[in-house]
């Protein structure tokens, strides 16, 4: 098996593991604070921490679509197509940023 195809499989595994963590984060909002960042209480909105944790989990899961698309392209189309991981991740990051900006604009208008 080609080394690039193996990297593609690892990218798919990375994306799947990230989605599992995001699902746990959405179901149990305090799990990330407890397991990964115990000293950072600023990750959560003080008014509604559950909604904020679910919102961040949604944004992270959108960004994780980039490695999944790149890995899938590398597996299905051959190893050299793994390079699609870069534009796919950038594209999904821009999408998550635009979603984040829309929510921030709606939050400021509501106040």
């Amino acid at each position: 098996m080609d080394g690039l195809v193996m990297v593609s499989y690892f990218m798919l595994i990375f994306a799947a593991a990230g989605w599992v963590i995001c699902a746990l984060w959405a179901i149990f909002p305090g799990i990330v604070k407890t397991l990964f960042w115990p000293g950072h209480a600023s990750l959560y909105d003080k008014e509604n921490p559950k909604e904020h944790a679910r919102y961040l989990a949604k944004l992270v899961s959108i960004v994780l679509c980039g490695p999944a698309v790149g890995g899938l392209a590398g597996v299905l189309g051959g190893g050299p197509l793994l390079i699609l991981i870069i534009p796919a991740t950038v594209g999904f990051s821009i999408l998550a940023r635009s979603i984040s900006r829309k929510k921030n604009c709606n939050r400021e208008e509501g106040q």
Side-chain angles (χ1 to χ4, degrees), residues 1-110:
M1 187 176 288
D2 190 17
L4 289 176
V5 175
M6 287 298 295
V7 172
S8 299
Y9 282 120
F10 283 123
M11 286 296 107
L12 288 172
I13 292 169
F14 168 74
W19 285 328
V20 168
I21 290 173
C22 286
L24 288 174
W25 194 3
I27 295 169
F28 308 108
I31 196 166
V32 173
K33 181 180 172 185
T34 305
L35 294 178
F36 301 113
W37 296 297
H40 296 280
S42 63
L43 284 174
Y44 295 101
D45 190 14
K46 304 296 186 227
E47 296 172 4
N48 196 350
K50 287 185 180 182
E51 178 185 341
H52 188 68
R54 289 184 182 127
Y55 175 70
L56 287 177
K58 180 176 78 168
L59 291 180
V60 171
S61 64
I62 289 172
V63 173
L64 283 171
C65 291
V69 167
L72 195 61
V75 168
L76 296 179
L81 286 180
L82 180 65
I83 194 70
L84 289 176
I85 194 171
I86 296 169
T89 304
V90 169
F92 283 111
S93 297
I94 291 171
L95 175 67
R97 184 176 182 205
S98 69
I99 290 171
S100 175
R101 282 190 173 181
K102 285 180 185 177
K103 181 172 180 177
N104 289 338
C105 289
N106 291 338
R107 181 184 285 181
E108 289 174 3
E109 290 174 2

